[in-house]
Amino acid sequence: MNTSLRKLATVGAVAALAVSTITACSNDDSSAAGGDKSLEVVYWNYGPAAETGNKATADAFMAANSGTTVTLTPVTGENWGTYYANVATLIASGKRPDLMVISGEGAQFVHANNLVRPINEYLEKDAGAKAITGDIAQGLIDGFTVKNDVVTLTYGWNNMVVYYNTDVFKKAGVEPPKADWTWADFQATAKKLTADTNKDGKTDRYGFTWASNEIFPGIMPWVANAGGNLTSDDVCAATADTPQVNKAVSFLRQLITDGVSPAPMPMSDVFTRFQNGQVAMFGAGRWPIGTFLPAGFKSFDIQLYPKGDTYKTVFGGAGYPILKSSKNPDLAWEYQKFTVSEEIEKQYVGTPEKPGDSIPSRRSLAQTISKVGVPPANSDLFYDSIDKFPTLVPYPAPAKYSAFESTVLRHLQLIFAGETSVAGGLKAMQGELSSIVTC
């Protein structure tokens, strides 16, 4: 499935859907008619790529399992949250889908609302399950585990790493960063790379920038590495004004004040300026290579985010949990397993000419990215970041995610524009979030 995992990583569970409504919609009747080998899969119809990717997976499953029938049901939604709400409405109307696509941020949401059937029993009794889970980083399993219930296996994911322009580093005479670099190292490196290249008195090249329109590739890697988060562990309270968040936002604000970072900008602008050499470093997951390599741009590599008071990987992924409405859960489990099979996961590896835009969840497949020659040179770091370091779980995705995200971004814009202090801006942000992040 080629669903854009950037979307899956950056969009959270959003709907303010009444819990009682969803719970009432749940259906634990799994009695399938004898010999029934049919499945219905619902997915968020966010665009043409969603249909293409889901159809490819369904077709491959039917080809590999003679006699099975997979029906795909696209469900609309302005975001993941409204999509979840619409799936619940679908079930309430009498539909009995077997599986649904969710993002990692939605795992707690669908579990809390009794929509999904945990897969713990399958993991215990399926002879091949141990080999599968042993090939998946524990962090990816933990990210989809709620109250000891494994909601689903994730078929692909994206993390956050630092991209750097190798040509810019070489011209500036700056050594490529190493995995053990610190925030101070990063700041010094960014300063060295910042330059007025045409001597007109204006900065032409900045050391670093970040996305203004998303939290995930914006402040979260810094917040996580400062040891903080934007919500409590149970995602029931905002924690935007903690010393850890203040430290991360202050660090980024200082980069602007020092002139080594421009004002944050949309990710699409970051891509363009990075390829043009106007920005030396930025943060993202694996998805930029889907833009860079087809355009013939290969002068880049990646490194882990610099370590702050701690090191935690921020990531997002997606999976096909089995719904409690499923009439055929055993076959649904086979489908879920198929989405993490070698056949499917190879798609995420891709080729140098047509790279995947996400990271395979299976370690053995992810490790082939560098072996088959898909740039960048440090591709192994994509998986190492979650295999060898702790992760930020949960990713802050409260039910009212749209309001949460817009509030966070609005206040950050004021802070980074210098229109309010860091402490004042975060206090105001916390005040608004206190009524948005609740349980």
Side-chain angles (χ1 to χ4, degrees):
M1 177 181 174
N2 291 320
T3 300
S4 171
L5 286 168
R6 181 187 175 195
K7 287 180 178 291
L8 303 179
T10 58
V11 185
V14 187
L17 183 66
V19 172
S20 58
T21 301
I22 298 181
T23 303
C25 295
S26 299
N27 183 345
D28 202 14
D29 177 10
S30 57
S31 58
D36 181 11
K37 298 181 71 174
S38 65
L39 290 173
E40 181 178 3
V41 180
V42 296
Y43 65 95
W44 180 24
N45 188 25
Y46 62 81
E51 179 181 357
T52 302
N54 278 286
K55 186 176 186 305
T57 299
D59 288 347
F61 182 76
M62 288 187 286
N65 295 272
S66 179
T68 60
T69 301
V70 178
T71 302
L72 295 174
T73 300
V75 176
T76 58
E78 297 176 357
N79 46 49
W80 280 101
T82 52
Y83 156 71
Y84 297 145
N86 290 338
V87 171
T89 301
L90 192 75
I91 296 172
S93 71
K95 281 278 191 176
R96 297 180 61 187
D98 299 280
L99 304 111
M100 67 181 289
V101 180
I102 68 163
S103 62
E105 299 94 307
Q108 293 206 22
F109 185 88
V110 295
H111 180 276
N113 292 293
N114 202 28
L115 278 176
V116 297
R117 176 189 293 269
I119 60 172
N120 299 55
E121 61 178 306
Y122 290 110
L123 296 179
E124 292 172 1
K125 72 181 184 182
D126 189 306
K130 188 174 183 179
I132 294 173
T133 55
D135 197 25
I136 297 176
Q138 187 61 45
L140 292 175
I141 296 175
D142 292 344
F144 284 86
T145 300
V146 182
K147 296 180 179 179
N148 297 319
D149 286 338
V150 183
V151 173
T152 183
L153 300 174
T154 180
Y155 55 81
W157 60 288
N158 259 302
N159 59 353
M160 288 297 302
V161 294
V162 174
Y163 280 72
Y164 62 93
N165 187 311
T166 52
D167 283 348
V168 169
F169 268 67
K170 187 175 181 179
K171 289 178 182 177
V174 178
E175 289 294 319
K178 300 183 184 302
D180 61 351
W181 61 340
T182 64
W183 283 23
D185 297 332
F186 175 88
Q187 192 170 23
T189 300
K191 284 184 177 180
K192 291 177 183 176
L193 294 163
T194 300
D196 171 11
T197 57
N198 61 6
K199 308 303 181 185
D200 66 351
K202 299 178 181 177
T203 300
D204 305 300
R205 186 180 69 217
Y206 289 93
F208 177 73
T209 194
W210 62 96
S212 63
N213 57 338
E214 298 174 38
I215 298 174
F216 180 57
I219 67 167
M220 281 315 299
W222 303 99
V223 170
N225 286 357
N229 203 339
L230 293 177
T231 72
S232 57
D233 289 347
D234 58 5
V235 202
C236 288
T239 56
D241 61 349
T242 60
Q244 293 85 357
V245 177
N246 187 304
K247 184 173 185 176
V249 175
S250 295
F251 180 78
L252 293 172
R253 180 71 186 88
Q254 191 62 46
L255 293 179
I256 297 174
T257 301
D258 291 344
V260 300
S261 292
M265 62 192 74
M267 186 59 86
S268 57
D269 294 343
V270 174
F271 283 10
T272 300
R273 298 183 72 172
F274 180 73
Q275 292 175 86
N276 292 341
Q278 296 170 304
V279 169
M281 299 184 289
F282 75 100
R286 192 175 177 233
W287 67 82
I289 69 171
T291 298
F292 294 162
L293 297 184
F297 177 68
K298 299 181 179 179
S299 301
F300 68 93
D301 209 337
I302 61 169
Q303 187 49 269
L304 302 175
Y305 263 78
K307 183 179 180 181
D309 293 331
T310 182
Y311 182 90
K312 289 185 177 179
T313 299
V314 181
F315 75 99
Y320 286 85
I322 303 168
L323 292 169
K324 287 199 170 183
S325 61
S326 175
K327 59 185 181 303
N328 213 344
D330 291 347
L331 185 60
W333 163 244
E334 294 301 322
Y335 192 89
Q336 186 181 124
K337 277 199 304 180
F338 185 73
T339 66
V340 298
S341 66
E342 181 174 330
E343 177 179 353
I344 297 299
E345 294 255 292
K346 276 184 175 179
Q347 299 177 34
Y348 307 132
V349 175
T351 66
E353 295 74 28
K354 191 177 181 180
D357 65 356
S358 59
I359 309 164
S361 60
R362 299 280 290 270
R363 183 184 300 104
S364 58
L365 272 297
Q367 290 173 340
T368 66
I369 293 175
S370 56
K371 293 177 181 176
V372 299
V374 180
N378 286 337
S379 286
D380 287 349
L381 289 178
F382 285 123
Y383 209 90
D384 285 353
S385 73
I386 202 167
D387 221 14
K388 298 180 179 179
F389 298 93
T391 59
L392 181 71
V393 177
Y395 178 79
K400 298 177 182 177
Y401 189 82
S402 289
F404 169 78
E405 182 180 52
S406 62
T407 300
V408 171
L409 293 177
R410 174 163 44 81
H411 285 288
L412 288 177
Q413 184 177 22
L414 295 174
I415 292 171
F416 293 143
E419 296 182 21
T420 185
S421 66
V422 173
L426 293 179
K427 183 179 180 180
M429 182 193 299
Q430 174 71 14
E432 286 194 45
L433 291 180
S434 62
S435 61
I436 296 172
V437 184
T438 60
C439 288

